[in-house]
Amino acid sequence: MPTLVQEKTTQAIAILDELKIDCWLTFARESAAGIDPVLPLIYGHHVTWQSAFLLFRTGERIAILGRFDAENARNCGAYNEVIGYDEGVSGSLLAALRRLDPQQIALNYSANDAHADGLGHGLYLQLLGYLAGTPFAARVISAEPIISALRGRKSGEEIERIRQAIRTTYELYNRTYEYADVGMSARQIGAYMHAQMDALGLETSWERASCPAVNAGPNTPIGHLGPGDVRVETGQLLHFDFGLRQNDYCSDIQRVMYFLAAGERQPPAPVQRAFDTVTRAIRAAVDFMRPGVLGYEVDAVARKVITDAGYPEFRYATGHQVGRSAHDGGGVLAPLWERYGDTPKMALEAGQVYAVEPGLFVEGYGYMGIEENVLVTETGAEFLGEPQGELVVK
């Protein structure tokens, strides 16, 4: 059975053929100082000296690395030619390019996608220096569409890893619902979630200090920050944003609880209406999702449900891709705002996994944010776990 790296390099060659791009060159160095996000998919290790990973539309797979890294490339089994060097990479790189003569050379840089932009500017200039005086310097293009497709189109193995991360996240949430109580601080609840995760030997999907976010009531700042000292009170919402990384793949799930006030037997009408609106927006977006629709079109569907119900427009994207990272690059479900560049104009593709997360603020009660992880299929989209259908009430 092929390894994930073997599977993804084979997939990359098919993508090159589909896009009619002759060659994809990933150029990297000293990855311990900042690994190119695509290296785990096409190599699976760090590199030290300047390294070139070349995949060709015709099927050739060439890795050129420092001598002491070359054995890792041989052992990964994804490359049919591995060249180790001592003095410099340029001679072997130019020889490979002259032999195969690609008419386009896609490099690992991108204006829109951080996960396709691993080639630093200094190393890019060095590479251009190696190509100077050859016809290859004029054939350089961005590898953004290749990397976006490779990261986005999850294999069956990748999808199963994400499903497992989601299942484990649900288990931790269920324990947290039992644990959380009136009078506890958000910090105390966040520490409990960390302890449960640590006991399993797992890591958070993003920076530990802000994963989970735990927002108690209406006076907690909402965003990418860790839990503070605000305490859970009756008659208020408790909102979580949490994900974990399991077997290299992530979940990203938001959930909401409500703590009944004295005399209440169910959440008050403003809270229930907000919950119903957010879950309806999620389902509307998921029902609309299918291959070929554009990210901003999905965003508009969810956003309209929120605003038609009389709530202010949420000031962030409806969704983003999930995979090896919680925010996994590629297209987003977002409005056509400057900060998103061209990513909302990208079409959905089968195999992509998205987090869908519209939300709203309930005055006097807190933040109503729910987030579900969804797989785009050949004919539509499906939830990768049971969506939150009811408020957790305590």
Side-chain angles (χ1 to χ4, degrees), residues 43-358:
Y43 174 53
H45 302 277
H46 282 280
V47 297
T48 307
W49 303 343
Q50 293 177 4
S51 304
F53 299 89
L54 298 109
L55 298 175
F56 290 85
R57 180 182 177 188
T58 50
E60 288 84 357
R61 313 171 189 209
I62 303 171
I64 306 169
L65 312 89
R67 181 172 303 279
F68 300 114
D69 287 336
E71 196 62 25
N72 281 333
R74 294 187 184 99
N75 290 340
C76 83
Y79 294 88
N80 53 27
E81 184 177 354
V82 176
I83 301 168
Y85 73 85
D86 292 312
E87 295 185 10
V89 71
S90 62
S92 297
L93 174 60
L94 290 173
L97 292 175
R98 290 186 180 111
R99 171 161 52 96
L100 294 164
D101 196 26
Q103 299 306 296
Q104 311 89 20
I105 303 171
L107 295 182
N108 47 321
Y109 69 83
S110 169
N112 293 290
D113 186 351
H115 288 278
D117 195 33
L119 179 61
H121 186 63
L123 190 57
Y124 172 74
L125 293 177
Q126 287 196 35
L127 178 60
L128 290 185
Y130 298 153
L131 300 180
T134 75
F136 306 117
R139 301 178 187 178
V140 166
I141 60 174
S142 169
E144 178 185 305
I146 303 166
I147 299 172
S148 178
L150 186 68
R151 290 189 74 95
R153 299 175 190 174
K154 305 295 190 294
S155 68
E157 171 67 19
E158 290 177 291
I159 293 167
E160 180 50 38
R161 293 190 192 189
I162 296 171
R163 285 187 192 274
Q164 182 57 59
I166 292 168
R167 286 193 290 266
T168 306
T169 304
Y170 284 2
E171 292 171 9
L172 266 63
Y173 265 129
N174 288 334
R175 296 177 200 171
T176 303
Y177 300 152
E178 293 292 325
Y179 173 79
D181 213 341
V182 173
M184 290 182 176
S185 70
R187 191 184 306 278
Q188 183 179 354
I189 296 168
Y192 173 83
M193 296 179 77
H194 278 165
Q196 297 297 305
M197 182 189 65
D198 292 344
L200 297 173
L202 301 177
E203 300 177 349
T204 55
S205 289
W206 57 93
E207 182 187 12
R208 182 182 174 98
S210 59
C211 181
V214 183
N215 308 114
N219 299 315
T220 305
I222 305 299
H224 301 145
L225 72 165
D229 295 321
V230 177
R231 295 187 178 274
V232 177
E233 297 182 19
T234 60
Q236 292 187 353
L237 291 166
L238 181 64
H239 165 258
F240 304 90
D241 189 356
F242 176 64
L244 55 80
R245 179 177 284 105
Q246 186 167 4
N247 203 7
D248 296 325
Y249 283 76
C250 294
S251 61
D252 187 2
I253 306 288
Q254 293 179 50
R255 289 292 182 258
V256 183
M257 299 179 68
Y258 179 75
F259 290 83
L260 295 171
E264 288 183 336
R265 294 188 176 182
Q266 61 189 26
V271 170
Q272 189 61 55
R273 180 173 182 270
F275 178 84
D276 293 343
T277 301
V278 171
T279 55
R280 191 168 67 251
I282 291 171
R283 288 193 174 275
V286 174
D287 287 346
F288 186 77
M289 293 170 69
R290 61 189 182 278
V293 302
L294 306 182
Y296 73 86
E297 296 173 329
V298 180
D299 176 85
V301 169
R303 200 168 293 272
K304 186 174 188 298
V305 173
I306 300 294
T307 56
D308 281 358
Y311 296 101
E313 179 182 12
F314 50 94
R315 306 301 293 170
Y316 56 86
T318 291
H320 56 82
Q321 292 191 51
V322 177
R324 294 188 71 93
S325 299
H327 287 209
D328 207 42
V332 294
L333 314 179
L336 297 174
W337 295 348
E338 175 187 320
R339 73 177 190 239
Y340 295 119
D342 289 334
T343 56
K345 301 175 186 177
M346 295 181 180
L348 275 64
E349 297 186 71
Q352 292 176 334
V353 175
Y354 283 90
V356 180
E357 54 175 327

Side-chain angles (χ1 to χ4, degrees), residues 163 282-283 286-287 372-375 381-387:
R163 285 187 192 274
I282 291 171
R283 288 193 174 275
V286 174
D287 287 346
E372 308 293 357
N373 295 167
V374 174
L375 170 67
E382 64 184 42
F383 292 100
L384 285 174
E386 186 66 28

